[in-house]
Amino acid sequence: QGTARQERSDGRSAPRRARARPSHYDVLGITRAAGDAEVRRAYRRKALETHPDKTHGESAAFLAVGEANRVLSDRGLRAAYDAELDLLA
């Protein structure tokens, strides 16, 4: 089985991502226009919903929520992340 290829805008083919991950915004359930306070509220809500003690040991979702908060609560990291999303769009 070969690697799936996707045509890029410059005509060259690029490897297709095996599985698209949800964006940090999707993980927290917010839009890109969300402010700092909204990011904080969404993080707290999702952290409680996905905490391993509450979900009987499932930590992958909780770790994703933590990573999303880490990136989106830092202005520099968020700007870089948004630029990356724009490139992928």
Side-chain angles (χ1 to χ4, degrees):
Q1 236 178 0
T3 303
R5 295 278 179 188
Q6 180 178 356
E7 194 69 23
R8 294 187 339 187
S9 60
D10 62 3
R12 297 182 302 169
S13 62
R16 189 178 300 171
R17 296 174 84 170
R19 185 182 72 180
R21 293 184 335 196
S23 75
H24 292 320
Y25 296 102
D26 294 336
V27 169
L28 294 182
I30 57 176
T31 66
R32 286 178 72 170
D36 293 339
E38 191 173 349
V39 170
R40 244 185 333 272
R41 280 192 304 270
Y43 165 69
R44 289 179 181 149
R45 184 180 65 249
K46 289 292 187 175
L48 286 173
E49 288 174 8
T50 61
H51 195 279
D53 290 345
K54 306 234 183 239
T55 59
H56 307 293
E58 179 58 47
S59 64
F62 182 70
L63 293 174
V65 168
E67 177 65 8
N69 180 63
R70 184 185 72 80
V71 171
L72 298 181
S73 63
D74 180 289
R75 290 179 192 249
L77 291 176
R78 185 174 182 171
Y81 181 74
D82 287 346
E84 182 181 329
L85 285 180
D86 291 339
L87 286 175
L88 294 175

